Amino acid sequence: LYSRPLYSGSSVFSVQLFSGVDSHSVSTREDAYDFVVHQLLEDRDLGTLDALPTQLFLNGEFYYSSYLRERYDKQWFQSHYGVKEKELVLISDNELDYGTEADYADYEALMDYIQTHDCADPAVWAEIQRQIDVQSLLDYLAANFYCNNIDWRFQKNYKLWRVRSARGEGVLDGRWRWLAYDMDAVGWASMRIEEPLASID
């Protein structure tokens, strides 16, 4: 669902669906697992998406229960981090969502550098730390491993981002950071508890 000037005169929704955040677009997602994982990761060095339980009606008739979800769009980065589209570089599944071809070339050069250099070399490690928020990468890997995400790898279902020009500390320092994304296929999602938790030894 998108807010567009053509529809309402504004590129953001008139109501803040999520506390303190102006949204340009939202999606509905029936699966609760992705929402739960994002909630569990809110205090980590990762971008996460908020959600609201929602009842979906079509033509006035109840359709199903769902979740209204934020999306990683240009307005999300503006609202959460103060980063405007012209400064945003966002890579999704090895493709460029926001940014320039030069930005993508920089990303490919970094990936090639990591694969062709010895990360045990202090100089190489220092260069990697200069370009990557290592804690963000560690939190991203730990989250996927711990949750046993069975629909993820470095070429699929991942997003990372940075600002093009460093202009401060934290998320504005120009380093690559990761985003929690599409984590509904976690291994424990296939488990079904048939009895009340209190009765399980």
Side-chain angles (χ1 to χ4, degrees), residues 150-163:
I150 58 177
D151 190 27
W152 160 83
R153 55 187 182 273
F154 273 112
Q155 290 79 36
K156 180 184 179 183
N157 284 345
Y158 78 95
K159 290 181 181 285
L160 71 163
W161 74 283
R162 68 179 180 90
V163 293

Side-chain angles (χ1 to χ4, degrees), residues 55-87:
Q55 304 297 318
L56 184 62
F57 289 78
L58 290 179
N59 297 325
E61 295 186 9
F62 176 76
Y63 192 56
Y64 63 77
S65 296
S66 182
Y67 288 88
L68 198 63
R69 300 295 308 273
E70 289 186 286
R71 296 179 68 247
Y72 292 125
D73 60 12
K74 58 186 179 182
Q75 188 61 41
W76 186 91
F77 288 93
Q78 172 71 47
S79 295
H80 286 267
Y81 300 131
V83 176
K84 296 182 179 180
E85 181 181 1
K86 64 181 180 181
E87 276 294 299

Side-chain angles (χ1 to χ4, degrees), residues 16-196:
Q16 287 191 341
L17 301 169
F18 310 99
S19 180
V21 175
D22 292 322
S23 300
H24 163 68
S25 63
V26 293
S27 63
T28 60
R29 187 162 186 164
E30 186 177 4
D31 199 326
Y33 293 111
D34 190 60
F35 169 46
V36 170
V37 172
H38 278 250
Q39 282 192 316
L40 293 173
L41 297 175
E42 283 181 343
D43 64 342
R44 309 312 304 163
D45 194 4
L46 293 169
T48 58
L49 299 175
D50 204 353
L52 292 170
T54 305
Q55 304 297 318
L56 184 62
F57 289 78
L58 290 179
N59 297 325
E61 295 186 9
F62 176 76
Y63 192 56
Y64 63 77
S65 296
S66 182
Y67 288 88
L68 198 63
R69 300 295 308 273
E70 289 186 286
R71 296 179 68 247
Y72 292 125
D73 60 12
K74 58 186 179 182
Q75 188 61 41
W76 186 91
F77 288 93
Q78 172 71 47
S79 295
H80 286 267
Y81 300 131
V83 176
K84 296 182 179 180
E85 181 181 1
K86 64 181 180 181
E87 276 294 299
L88 174 62
V89 182
L90 176 64
I91 305 290
S92 300
D93 299 344
N94 274 344
E95 294 186 2
L96 185 69
D97 282 357
Y98 293 98
T100 66
E101 291 302 319
D103 295 324
Y104 190 75
D106 289 343
Y107 163 74
E108 289 188 310
L110 173 60
M111 296 299 106
D112 182 67
Y113 180 84
I114 292 172
Q115 295 177 40
T116 58
H117 289 73
D118 182 4
C119 296
D121 183 330
V124 173
W125 181 238
E127 177 61 21
I128 291 173
Q129 289 180 297
R130 186 184 71 81
Q131 297 195 53
I132 288 177
D133 181 336
V134 175
Q135 187 61 56
S136 180
L137 175 58
L138 291 175
D139 285 346
Y140 174 76
L141 293 173
N144 281 280
F145 293 153
Y146 184 80
C147 293
N148 190 22
N149 187 353
I150 58 177
D151 190 27
W152 160 83
R153 55 187 182 273
F154 273 112
Q155 290 79 36
K156 180 184 179 183
N157 284 345
Y158 78 95
K159 290 181 181 285
L160 71 163
W161 74 283
R162 68 179 180 90
V163 293
R164 180 173 296 108
S165 304
R167 53 184 176 90
E169 298 180 348
V171 297
L172 301 179
D173 63 10
R175 295 188 296 168
W176 290 102
R177 287 174 166 80
W178 275 256
L179 303 165
Y181 177 67
D182 200 7
M183 299 182 71
D184 58 328
V186 289
W188 42 263
S190 61
M191 299 171 60
R192 294 292 183 265
I193 299 175
E194 303 297 339
E195 301 178 51

